[in-house]
mmCIF file of all heavy atoms in Angstrom:
data_model
loop_
_atom_site.group_PDB
_atom_site.id
_atom_site.type_symbol
_atom_site.label_atom_id
_atom_site.label_comp_id
_atom_site.label_asym_id
_atom_site.label_seq_id
_atom_site.Cartn_x
_atom_site.Cartn_y
_atom_site.Cartn_z
ATOM 1 N N GLN A 216 -12.411 -40.762 16.023
ATOM 2 C CA GLN A 216 -11.090 -41.013 15.427
ATOM 3 C C GLN A 216 -10.070 -40.282 16.254
ATOM 4 O O GLN A 216 -9.096 -40.769 16.684
ATOM 5 C CB GLN A 216 -10.957 -40.597 13.957
ATOM 6 C CG GLN A 216 -11.496 -41.700 13.032
ATOM 7 C CD GLN A 216 -11.750 -41.073 11.645
ATOM 8 O OE1 GLN A 216 -12.748 -41.054 11.145
ATOM 9 N NE2 GLN A 216 -10.547 -40.558 10.998
ATOM 10 N N ILE A 217 -10.356 -39.026 16.427
ATOM 11 C CA ILE A 217 -9.338 -38.155 17.108
ATOM 12 C C ILE A 217 -9.182 -38.534 18.492
ATOM 13 O O ILE A 217 -8.067 -38.515 19.086
ATOM 14 C CB ILE A 217 -9.767 -36.648 17.010
ATOM 15 C CG1 ILE A 217 -9.851 -36.182 15.525
ATOM 16 C CG2 ILE A 217 -8.918 -35.675 17.789
ATOM 17 C CD1 ILE A 217 -10.406 -34.776 15.221
ATOM 18 N N SER A 218 -10.317 -38.902 19.189
ATOM 19 C CA SER A 218 -10.241 -39.080 20.681
ATOM 20 C C SER A 218 -9.983 -40.636 21.014
ATOM 21 O O SER A 218 -10.148 -40.955 22.134
ATOM 22 C CB SER A 218 -11.443 -38.583 21.387
ATOM 23 O OG SER A 218 -12.589 -39.116 20.703
ATOM 24 N N ALA A 219 -9.480 -41.343 19.961
ATOM 25 C CA ALA A 219 -9.016 -42.677 20.233
ATOM 26 C C ALA A 219 -10.130 -43.632 20.600
ATOM 27 O O ALA A 219 -9.862 -44.630 21.343
ATOM 28 C CB ALA A 219 -7.806 -42.683 21.212
ATOM 29 N N ILE A 220 -11.345 -43.407 20.311
ATOM 30 C CA ILE A 220 -12.414 -44.405 20.507
ATOM 31 C C ILE A 220 -12.157 -45.446 19.377
ATOM 32 O O ILE A 220 -12.064 -45.094 18.187
ATOM 33 C CB ILE A 220 -13.750 -43.772 20.385
ATOM 34 C CG1 ILE A 220 -13.995 -42.579 21.444
ATOM 35 C CG2 ILE A 220 -14.863 -44.852 20.552
ATOM 36 C CD1 ILE A 220 -13.745 -42.944 22.794
ATOM 37 N N ARG A 221 -12.279 -46.755 19.723
ATOM 38 C CA ARG A 221 -11.970 -47.683 18.634
ATOM 39 C C ARG A 221 -13.169 -47.565 17.544
ATOM 40 O O ARG A 221 -14.240 -47.575 17.948
ATOM 41 C CB ARG A 221 -12.046 -49.126 19.254
ATOM 42 C CG ARG A 221 -10.884 -49.421 20.275
ATOM 43 C CD ARG A 221 -11.062 -50.782 20.812
ATOM 44 N NE ARG A 221 -10.738 -51.828 19.837
ATOM 45 C CZ ARG A 221 -10.714 -53.095 20.029
ATOM 46 N NH1 ARG A 221 -11.145 -53.579 21.135
ATOM 47 N NH2 ARG A 221 -10.236 -53.854 19.113
ATOM 48 N N PRO A 222 -12.755 -47.690 16.293
ATOM 49 C CA PRO A 222 -13.759 -47.498 15.214
ATOM 50 C C PRO A 222 -14.762 -48.500 15.362
ATOM 51 O O PRO A 222 -16.010 -48.219 15.104
ATOM 52 C CB PRO A 222 -12.891 -47.762 13.954
ATOM 53 C CG PRO A 222 -11.484 -47.554 14.349
ATOM 54 C CD PRO A 222 -11.334 -47.751 15.806
ATOM 55 N N GLU A 223 -14.511 -49.739 15.824
ATOM 56 C CA GLU A 223 -15.534 -50.752 15.911
ATOM 57 C C GLU A 223 -16.495 -50.526 17.168
ATOM 58 O O GLU A 223 -17.473 -51.254 17.234
ATOM 59 C CB GLU A 223 -14.848 -52.276 15.922
ATOM 60 C CG GLU A 223 -13.933 -52.496 17.044
ATOM 61 C CD GLU A 223 -12.442 -52.162 16.562
ATOM 62 O OE1 GLU A 223 -12.277 -51.033 15.959
ATOM 63 O OE2 GLU A 223 -11.619 -52.938 16.913
ATOM 64 N N ASN A 224 -16.082 -49.485 17.909
ATOM 65 C CA ASN A 224 -17.006 -49.156 19.129
ATOM 66 C C ASN A 224 -17.817 -47.931 18.841
ATOM 67 O O ASN A 224 -18.305 -47.274 19.835
ATOM 68 C CB ASN A 224 -16.158 -48.959 20.350
ATOM 69 C CG ASN A 224 -15.602 -50.272 20.962
ATOM 70 O OD1 ASN A 224 -15.920 -51.333 20.363
ATOM 71 N ND2 ASN A 224 -14.817 -50.250 22.047
ATOM 72 N N CYS A 225 -17.838 -47.547 17.617
ATOM 73 C CA CYS A 225 -18.715 -46.326 17.287
ATOM 74 C C CYS A 225 -19.981 -46.971 16.617
ATOM 75 O O CYS A 225 -19.861 -47.324 15.347
ATOM 76 C CB CYS A 225 -17.932 -45.464 16.360
ATOM 77 S SG CYS A 225 -18.573 -43.923 16.035
ATOM 78 N N ARG A 226 -21.080 -46.976 17.312
ATOM 79 C CA ARG A 226 -22.245 -47.669 16.760
ATOM 80 C C ARG A 226 -23.174 -46.613 16.113
ATOM 81 O O ARG A 226 -23.706 -45.807 16.759
ATOM 82 C CB ARG A 226 -23.178 -48.310 17.894
ATOM 83 C CG ARG A 226 -22.313 -49.199 18.795
ATOM 84 C CD ARG A 226 -22.647 -50.560 18.519
ATOM 85 N NE ARG A 226 -21.843 -51.409 19.364
ATOM 86 C CZ ARG A 226 -20.536 -51.778 19.156
ATOM 87 N NH1 ARG A 226 -19.991 -51.277 18.051
ATOM 88 N NH2 ARG A 226 -19.802 -52.516 19.955
ATOM 89 N N LEU A 227 -23.234 -46.793 14.786
ATOM 90 C CA LEU A 227 -24.114 -45.847 14.046
ATOM 91 C C LEU A 227 -25.318 -46.744 13.624
ATOM 92 O O LEU A 227 -25.392 -47.506 12.699
ATOM 93 C CB LEU A 227 -23.456 -45.353 12.774
ATOM 94 C CG LEU A 227 -22.156 -44.435 13.135
ATOM 95 C CD1 LEU A 227 -21.547 -43.968 11.796
ATOM 96 C CD2 LEU A 227 -22.510 -43.263 14.008
ATOM 97 N N LEU A 228 -26.353 -46.550 14.472
ATOM 98 C CA LEU A 228 -27.499 -47.520 14.422
ATOM 99 C C LEU A 228 -28.471 -47.129 13.146
ATOM 100 O O LEU A 228 -28.600 -45.983 12.931
ATOM 101 C CB LEU A 228 -28.306 -47.496 15.691
ATOM 102 C CG LEU A 228 -27.396 -47.758 16.954
ATOM 103 C CD1 LEU A 228 -28.149 -47.417 18.272
ATOM 104 C CD2 LEU A 228 -27.018 -49.195 16.966
ATOM 105 N N LYS A 229 -28.807 -48.235 12.636
ATOM 106 C CA LYS A 229 -29.629 -48.118 11.299
ATOM 107 C C LYS A 229 -30.938 -47.360 11.555
ATOM 108 O O LYS A 229 -31.683 -47.715 12.531
ATOM 109 C CB LYS A 229 -29.753 -49.508 10.826
ATOM 110 C CG LYS A 229 -30.033 -49.509 9.411
ATOM 111 C CD LYS A 229 -30.015 -50.879 8.722
ATOM 112 C CE LYS A 229 -30.671 -51.010 7.342
ATOM 113 N NZ LYS A 229 -31.113 -49.806 6.752
ATOM 114 N N THR A 230 -31.243 -46.573 10.683
ATOM 115 C CA THR A 230 -32.702 -45.970 10.705
ATOM 116 C C THR A 230 -33.278 -46.088 9.291
ATOM 117 O O THR A 230 -32.545 -46.543 8.354
ATOM 118 C CB THR A 230 -32.513 -44.394 10.887
ATOM 119 O OG1 THR A 230 -31.773 -43.916 9.851
ATOM 120 C CG2 THR A 230 -31.887 -44.056 12.245
#
Side-chain angles (χ1 to χ4, degrees):
Q216 277 165 242
I217 297 172
S218 49
I220 304 302
R221 297 180 75 183
E223 56 272 42
N224 288 357
C225 192
R226 308 258 175 277
L227 299 181
L228 304 168
K229 204 169 158 10
T230 59

